[in-house]
């Protein structure tokens, strides 16, 4: 178009002709004399305002050496490493053929804790999770665990964060890294205050108030009023450099919405796994205090009744009896409950359906929202099957 304007074959306004001449001069200075092999003649370079350093990327696709790109294009060099194939770029000329690789900046929240090299007897093209089970069977006892570690960006291959689709070859360097900083900073104001009873660098004991959920349901809790969100404001992060620090504190068990009580939160992965194992082996004793509507006949006993088709056991003992003018037939009973299993709504179901005395304020299995009191069904347990059991010892100084 610029040549046509010079030859006079097209009538162009003087400003437009000057602009086209300037663009033609810039393109000729960048490409060089005719016959130089730097850009396809059929793909003209598109000029853009020089608001940032620009480099023409052609002949090689991003991150795929040896593959020809279909077209040449202009690309900003910000956050991209550009290695020229022939000569280093200068201010006068921008390289037109370049190899572009994404730069992976080091993450201060992680640290490499183990380095390995793929042996020569391993088959080339082995997938990374399979290679981890062969390189470190003591740490990756199953393929699912290896995949989970890779998906969490915990494995580097030749210094690059890799995914499960990466195939390793003999001589590749495989590094395992762990989180050493929490990396999480809550924003805004806490949804509600949480009392911290005990806290150290690995775990914490917090007091859950009644009326809030432990974990938000799908879609989130109204106003993020959940314990999982609130403890991120109340608990301090582990010190920098703590191995296997969790991204955010994690509650290792749950309490129902209307229940208040102590909850354990883990700050590191070893603390989380250890506490979960203690709960699974029932090495951690749990004690609840409840006021039920009605008169419990026995002073203590063991309830053995399935919940949801699964075995469930609860030990109980009476700690107080009171008069009532409205509910429970004139009687209220204070109980201490010791669940031996952890079924959903176990204590509420055992009190309402087995003892015939629902917990006061229970809208699901007792009073509330116009529900009448549940008629006491025939108890499936008898006095002979109620086994007297002493309460679990608990030091008086411990809350």
């Amino acid at each position: 178009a610029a040549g046509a304007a010079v030859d006079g074959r097209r009538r162009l306004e003087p400003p437009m002709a000057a602009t086209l001449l300037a663009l033609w001069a810039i393109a000729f200075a960048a490409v060089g004399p005719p016959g130089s092999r730097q850009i396809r003649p059929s793909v003209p370079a598109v000029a853009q305002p020089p608001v940032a350093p620009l480099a023409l990327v052609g002949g090689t696709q991003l991150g795929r050496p040896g593959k020809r790109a279909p077209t040449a294009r202009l690309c900003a060099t910000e956050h991209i490493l550009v290695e020229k194939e022939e000569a280093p770029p200068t201010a006068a000329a921008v390289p037109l053929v370049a190899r572009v690789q994404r730069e992976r900046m080091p993450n201060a929240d992680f640290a490499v804790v183990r380095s390995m090299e793929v042996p020569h007897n391993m088959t080339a093209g082995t997938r990374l999770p399979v290679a981890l089970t062969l390189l470190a069977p003591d740490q990756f006892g199953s393929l699912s665990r290896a995949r989970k570690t890779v998906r969490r960006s915990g494995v580097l291959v030749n210094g690059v964060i890799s995914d499960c689709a990466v195939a390793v070859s003999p001589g590749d360097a495989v590094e395992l890294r762990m989180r050493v900083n929490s990396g999480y900073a809550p924003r805004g104001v806490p949804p509600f205050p949480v009392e911290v009873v005990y806290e150290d660098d690995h775990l914490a004991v917090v007091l859950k108030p009644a009326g809030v959920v432990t974990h938000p349901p799908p879609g989130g809790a109204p106003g993020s009023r959940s314990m999982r969100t609130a403890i991120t404001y109340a608990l301090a992060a582990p010190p920098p450099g703590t191995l296997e620090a969790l991204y955010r504190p994690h509650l290792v068990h749950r309490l129902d919405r209307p229940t208040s009580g102590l909850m354990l939160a883990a700050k590191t992965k070893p603390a989380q796994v250890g506490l979960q194992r203690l709960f699974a082996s029932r090495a951690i004793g749990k004690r609840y205090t409840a006021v039920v509507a009605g008169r419990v006949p026995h002073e203590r006993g063991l309830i053995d009744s399935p919940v949801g088709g699964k075995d469930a056991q609860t030990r109980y003992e009476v700690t107080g009896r009171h008069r009532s003018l409205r509910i429970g037939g004139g009687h209220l009973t204070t109980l201490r409950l010791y669940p031996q299993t952890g079924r959903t709504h176990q204590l509420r179901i055992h009190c309402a359906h087995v003892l015939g005395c629902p917990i006061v304020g229970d809208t699901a299995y007792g009073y509330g929202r116009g529900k009448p009191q549940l008629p006491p069904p025939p108890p499936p347990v008898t006095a002979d099957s109620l086994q007297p059991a002493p309460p679990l010892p608990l030091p008086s100084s411990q809350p």
Side-chain angles (χ1 to χ4, degrees):
V6 173
D7 295 341
R9 285 193 287 265
R10 292 184 59 186
R11 301 294 299 175
L12 298 175
E13 297 296 331
M16 182 178 297
T19 303
L20 292 175
L21 283 173
L23 293 176
W24 179 82
I26 294 174
F28 181 82
V31 175
S36 60
R37 182 183 176 277
Q38 294 190 9
I39 188 170
R40 296 183 182 181
S42 60
V43 183
V46 180
Q48 295 184 3
V51 296
L54 298 178
L56 189 62
V57 180
T60 305
Q61 291 183 355
L62 295 178
R64 300 184 63 183
K67 299 294 184 179
R68 303 296 297 179
T71 58
R73 49 182 175 162
L74 288 172
C75 175
T77 59
E78 186 179 4
H79 303 305
I80 294 179
L81 293 180
V82 179
E83 299 177 1
K84 188 180 179 184
E85 293 185 349
E86 297 178 0
T90 61
V94 179
L96 301 179
V97 180
R99 184 188 304 114
V100 180
Q101 298 176 350
R102 292 284 181 182
E103 179 183 14
R104 295 191 179 275
M105 303 299 294
N107 195 333
D109 294 338
F110 293 86
V112 175
V113 296
R114 187 172 181 178
S115 300
M116 301 170 287
E117 183 178 348
V118 179
H120 294 285
N121 58 356
M122 184 176 292
T123 305
T126 304
R127 296 294 182 183
L128 182 56
V130 178
L132 290 177
T133 59
L134 300 175
L135 293 173
D138 56 331
Q139 189 170 353
F140 302 100
S142 63
L143 190 59
S144 62
R145 185 172 184 180
R147 288 171 178 163
K148 183 182 296 184
T149 303
V150 174
R151 292 191 187 105
R152 293 178 176 176
S153 303
V155 183
L156 307 178
V157 176
N158 297 327
V160 179
I161 302 174
S162 304
D163 53 25
C164 295
V166 171
V168 298
S169 301
D172 288 344
V174 179
E175 296 174 322
L176 304 180
R177 64 177 193 167
M178 293 182 180
R179 182 177 289 275
V180 295
N181 282 329
S182 65
Y184 180 80
R187 295 177 296 178
V189 297
F192 54 88
V194 174
E195 179 182 351
V196 180
V197 180
Y198 172 82
E199 182 178 12
D200 59 24
D201 296 339
H202 302 277
L203 57 88
V205 181
V206 296
L207 180 60
K208 173 189 173 300
V212 298
V213 296
T214 301
H215 299 283
S224 299
R225 290 184 57 84
S226 66
M227 284 296 294
R228 189 183 70 173
T229 302
I231 61 174
T232 59
Y233 296 86
L235 301 181
T242 304
L243 285 179
E244 297 190 81
L246 295 177
Y247 177 68
R248 56 190 295 173
H250 182 82
L251 294 167
V252 297
H253 62 113
R254 60 177 296 275
L255 290 176
D256 293 341
R257 180 197 293 264
T259 305
S260 63
L262 301 178
M263 301 194 71
L264 283 168
K267 297 183 178 182
T268 61
K269 189 65 175 181
Q272 178 186 2
V273 174
L275 290 174
Q276 288 175 343
R277 288 177 178 175
L278 290 176
F279 274 106
S281 62
R282 303 176 186 174
I284 296 180
K286 296 177 287 185
R287 185 187 71 183
Y288 295 79
T289 300
V291 178
V292 298
R295 186 180 185 280
V296 178
H298 306 284
E299 293 297 322
R300 62 182 57 187
L302 174 65
I303 303 173
D304 189 358
S305 178
V307 174
K310 299 179 180 180
D311 294 338
Q313 297 87 29
T314 302
R315 289 197 301 111
Y316 72 91
E317 63 178 3
V318 176
T319 59
R321 300 184 183 276
H322 319 279
R323 298 291 297 174
S324 173
L325 299 178
R326 293 187 177 182
I327 60 176
H331 297 278
L332 296 176
T333 306
T334 302
L335 298 177
R336 283 186 178 175
L337 304 171
Y338 303 90
Q340 308 300 299
T341 54
R343 311 305 178 198
T344 302
H345 298 174
Q346 173 180 320
L347 300 181
R348 299 158 69 179
I349 293 175
H350 277 179
C351 289
H353 294 173
V354 178
L355 295 180
C357 301
I359 297 177
V360 175
D362 186 0
T363 59
Y365 304 96
Y367 291 102
R369 299 179 183 177
K371 284 187 177 181
Q373 183 181 5
L374 291 174
V381 293
T382 62
D384 297 335
S385 63
L386 297 176
Q387 304 173 5
L392 295 176
L394 186 66
S396 57
S397 60
Q398 182 177 354

